[in-house]
Amino acid sequence: MLISSYNPEHLGDVLITMIKPDVAKQSSEKKENVVRIFNRETNETIGYNFFDVSETLTGLNGQGQVLLTADQVKLLNELLTKVGFEDLLEEDQTPKFVVGYVEEMEAHPDSDHLHVTKTRVDNDQVLQIVCGAPNIEQGQTVVVAKEGAMMPTGAMIWNGKLRGVESDGMICSARELGLPNAPQKRGILVLPTDEYHVGDEFDFDKAATLFTKN
């Protein structure tokens, strides 16, 4: 897995990459313009921060999560090798926000408001996702943030457990997706089935008109 973030307005010319979730005990080491973040107990690499990254890469755009091309990953790996780091990056172009379909839903065994869903996403994969939205129902077309997704707030989505039940991703609300004029209340975004198709990458630009005020 490779998660990359670029936000020059707030962080300067720095590319942040993650290949594993954060841990409580972590340290860092710097070699030239590259900082390695690692697990202090296991020495496993968590990610790298590339300073003055525009000297190595061109074409970085956006404010937040970016999907690096194979050529960009290759250039970063050449830099890592040059400065003396051994753990290299692996290209990951898989979409992190996809259109899903809630195939099954049942009550969470240890909660009076959570539900456990079986939600179909891309590549015909079915994920178990725990959802606490009051409007979740079987048969809905929804937006799923898969593991490795970076929310507009900067929060990361990792697989884990909610009240002891495995949950692989998150079913999102319009507000969580940062859509313009999104309702400021609890509840997932339910997509119109004639416009959004299960398995497709979620189109943020298209969805920006869902709550356009007349």
Side-chain angles (χ1 to χ4, degrees):
M1 176 171 293
L2 174 59
I3 304 164
S4 308
S5 176
Y6 187 63
N7 193 339
E9 181 178 345
H10 296 287
L11 298 177
D13 190 21
V14 182
L15 179 71
I16 298 173
T17 65
M18 298 178 65
I19 58 178
K20 292 183 181 294
D22 278 331
V23 294
K25 295 181 179 180
Q26 60 186 42
S27 296
S28 65
E29 59 175 325
K30 184 176 182 180
K31 296 182 180 182
E32 297 187 25
N33 280 346
V34 183
V35 174
R36 172 181 173 253
I37 314 298
F38 62 93
N39 186 319
R40 193 186 310 161
E41 296 181 338
T42 65
N43 198 37
E44 288 183 310
T45 298
I46 296 172
Y48 293 101
N49 295 342
F50 296 88
F51 290 83
D52 298 323
V53 69
S54 60
E55 296 179 4
T56 302
L57 299 184
T58 59
L60 281 178
N61 298 305
Q63 299 287 334
Q65 188 169 20
V66 293
L67 296 181
L68 299 175
T69 66
D71 287 341
Q72 289 174 323
V73 172
K74 180 182 178 181
L75 289 171
L76 291 176
N77 282 336
E78 289 174 353
L79 176 59
L80 290 174
T81 300
K82 177 184 176 183
V83 302
F85 286 123
E86 296 182 356
D87 292 329
L88 301 183
L89 306 176
E90 295 183 5
E91 178 193 1
D92 183 0
Q93 284 280 327
T94 58
K96 305 305 179 188
F97 292 91
V98 299
V99 179
Y101 179 76
V102 182
E103 293 191 340
E104 300 178 22
M105 187 185 79
E106 61 183 24
H108 190 290
D110 188 33
S111 171
D112 60 0
H113 71 282
L114 296 175
H115 291 88
V116 183
T117 75
K118 300 291 186 183
T119 302
R120 188 170 298 277
V121 291
D122 53 327
N123 297 318
D124 216 29
Q125 182 183 19
V126 177
L127 300 178
Q128 177 170 286
I129 301 176
V130 178
C131 180
N135 64 328
I136 183 75
E137 292 182 8
Q138 183 176 334
Q140 290 172 329
T141 300
V142 297
V143 182
V144 174
K146 299 173 63 177
E147 184 177 37
M150 178 181 291
M151 304 303 293
T153 60
M156 298 301 309
I157 302 300
W158 298 105
N159 295 345
K161 290 184 178 181
L162 287 175
R163 293 282 188 91
V165 175
E166 294 286 346
S167 184
D168 299 332
M170 183 175 77
I171 299 176
C172 304
S173 70
R175 180 175 58 181
E176 290 166 334
L177 294 168
L179 299 182
N181 304 310
Q184 297 302 300
K185 60 182 181 180
R186 295 183 64 230
I188 59 165
L189 173 62
V190 181
L191 296 170
T193 56
D194 58 335
E195 298 181 38
Y196 294 86
H197 303 104
V198 177
D200 287 352
E201 182 173 3
F202 180 64
D203 189 333
F204 278 85
D205 290 335
K206 176 182 176 180
T209 63
L210 284 172
F211 302 99
T212 300
K213 295 180 179 179
N214 296 322

